[in-house]
Coordinates of all heavy atoms in Angstrom, one line a residue:
A1 N -3.4 -30.8 14.1 CA -3.9 -32.0 14.7 C -3.1 -33.3 14.4 O -3.5 -34.3 14.8 CB -5.3 -32.2 14.0
S2 N -2.0 -33.2 13.8 CA -1.1 -34.3 13.5 C -0.6 -34.8 14.8 O -0.3 -34.0 15.7 CB 0.0 -34.0 12.5 OG -0.5 -33.7 11.3
C3 N -0.4 -36.2 14.9 CA 0.1 -36.7 16.1 C 1.6 -36.4 16.3 O 2.3 -36.2 15.3 CB 0.0 -38.3 16.2 SG -1.7 -38.8 16.0
Q4 N 2.1 -36.4 17.6 CA 3.5 -36.2 17.9 C 4.1 -34.9 17.3 O 5.1 -34.9 16.7 CB 4.3 -37.5 17.5 CG 3.9 -38.7 18.3 CD 4.9 -39.8 18.1 OE1 5.2 -40.2 16.9 NE2 5.4 -40.4 19.1
T5 N 3.3 -33.9 17.5 CA 3.8 -32.5 17.1 C 4.1 -31.6 18.2 O 4.4 -30.4 18.0 CB 2.8 -31.9 16.1 OG1 1.5 -31.8 16.7 CG2 2.7 -32.7 14.8
V6 N 4.0 -32.0 19.4 CA 4.2 -31.1 20.6 C 5.7 -30.7 20.6 O 6.7 -31.5 20.5 CB 3.9 -31.8 21.9 CG1 4.3 -31.0 23.1 CG2 2.4 -32.1 21.9
A7 N 5.9 -29.4 20.8 CA 7.3 -28.8 20.7 C 8.0 -29.2 22.0 O 7.4 -29.6 23.0 CB 7.2 -27.3 20.6
F8 N 9.3 -28.9 22.0 CA 10.1 -29.1 23.2 C 10.5 -27.7 23.8 O 10.7 -26.8 23.0 CB 11.4 -29.8 22.8 CG 11.1 -31.2 22.4 CD1 10.8 -31.6 21.1 CD2 11.2 -32.2 23.4 CE1 10.6 -32.9 20.7 CE2 10.9 -33.6 23.0 CZ 10.6 -33.9 21.7
P9 N 10.5 -27.5 25.0 CA 10.5 -28.5 26.1 C 9.1 -29.0 26.6 O 9.1 -29.9 27.5 CB 11.2 -27.8 27.3 CG 10.7 -26.3 27.1 CD 10.7 -26.1 25.6
A10 N 8.0 -28.6 26.0 CA 6.7 -29.0 26.4 C 6.5 -30.6 26.4 O 5.8 -31.1 27.1 CB 5.6 -28.3 25.6
A11 N 7.3 -31.2 25.5 CA 7.1 -32.6 25.3 C 7.9 -33.5 26.3 O 7.7 -34.7 26.3 CB 7.5 -33.0 23.9
Y12 N 8.7 -32.8 27.2 CA 9.4 -33.6 28.1 C 8.6 -33.9 29.3 O 7.8 -33.1 29.8 CB 10.7 -32.8 28.6 CG 11.7 -32.6 27.5 CD1 12.2 -31.3 27.3 CD2 12.3 -33.7 26.8 CE1 13.2 -31.1 26.3 CE2 13.2 -33.5 25.9 CZ 13.7 -32.2 25.6 OH 14.6 -32.0 24.6
P13 N 8.8 -35.1 29.9 CA 8.2 -35.4 31.2 C 8.7 -34.4 32.3 O 9.9 -34.0 32.2 CB 8.6 -36.9 31.5 CG 9.9 -37.1 30.7 CD 9.7 -36.2 29.5
G14 N 7.9 -34.1 33.2 CA 8.3 -33.1 34.2 C 8.1 -31.7 33.9 O 8.4 -30.8 34.6
V15 N 7.7 -31.5 32.6 CA 7.4 -30.1 32.1 C 5.8 -30.0 31.9 O 5.3 -30.9 31.3 CB 8.2 -29.8 30.8 CG1 7.7 -28.4 30.3 CG2 9.7 -29.8 31.1
L16 N 5.2 -29.0 32.4 CA 3.8 -28.8 32.1 C 3.5 -28.3 30.7 O 3.6 -27.1 30.5 CB 3.2 -27.9 33.1 CG 2.6 -28.5 34.5 CD1 2.3 -27.4 35.4 CD2 1.5 -29.4 34.2
G17 N 3.3 -29.2 29.8 CA 3.0 -28.9 28.4 C 1.5 -28.5 28.2 O 0.7 -29.2 28.7
V18 N 1.3 -27.3 27.6 CA -0.1 -26.8 27.6 C -0.6 -26.7 26.1 O 0.1 -26.0 25.3 CB -0.1 -25.4 28.3 CG1 -1.6 -24.9 28.3 CG2 0.5 -25.5 29.6
G19 N -1.7 -27.2 25.9 CA -2.4 -27.1 24.6 C -3.4 -26.0 24.7 O -3.7 -25.4 25.7
S20 N -4.1 -25.7 23.5 CA -5.0 -24.5 23.4 C -6.4 -25.0 23.3 O -6.8 -25.8 22.4 CB -4.6 -23.7 22.1 OG -5.5 -22.7 21.9
L21 N -7.3 -24.4 24.2 CA -8.7 -24.6 24.1 C -9.3 -23.4 23.3 O -9.0 -22.3 23.6 CB -9.3 -24.6 25.5 CG -10.8 -24.9 25.6 CD1 -11.1 -26.4 25.4 CD2 -11.3 -24.5 27.0
S22 N -10.2 -23.7 22.4 CA -10.8 -22.7 21.6 C -12.0 -22.0 22.4 O -12.5 -22.6 23.4 CB -11.4 -23.3 20.3 OG -12.6 -23.9 20.5
I23 N -12.4 -20.9 21.8 CA -13.6 -20.2 22.5 C -14.8 -21.0 22.4 O -15.8 -20.8 23.1 CB -13.7 -18.8 21.8 CG1 -14.5 -17.9 22.7 CG2 -14.3 -18.9 20.4 CD1 -14.5 -16.5 22.3
Y24 N -14.9 -22.1 21.5 CA -16.1 -22.9 21.4 C -15.9 -24.1 22.3 O -16.7 -25.1 22.2 CB -16.2 -23.4 19.9 CG -16.5 -22.2 19.0 CD1 -15.5 -21.8 18.1 CD2 -17.7 -21.5 19.0 CE1 -15.7 -20.7 17.3 CE2 -17.9 -20.5 18.2 CZ -16.9 -20.1 17.3 OH -17.1 -19.0 16.5
D25 N -15.0 -24.1 23.2 CA -14.8 -25.2 24.2 C -14.4 -26.5 23.7 O -14.6 -27.6 24.2 CB -16.0 -25.3 25.1 CG -15.7 -25.7 26.6 OD1 -14.8 -25.0 27.1 OD2 -16.3 -26.6 27.1

């Protein structure tokens, strides 16, 4: 949950960076 931890290349503009939704929505 820490801020600014998105990996690269997901953090670049023009790349669809995808996070994870839990089974509890």
Side-chain angles (χ1 to χ4, degrees):
S2 297
C3 300
Q4 294 190 307
T5 55
V6 173
F8 292 88
Y12 292 127
V15 176
L16 272 172
V18 185
S20 174
L21 184 76
S22 79
I23 200 168
Y24 298 107
D25 215 46

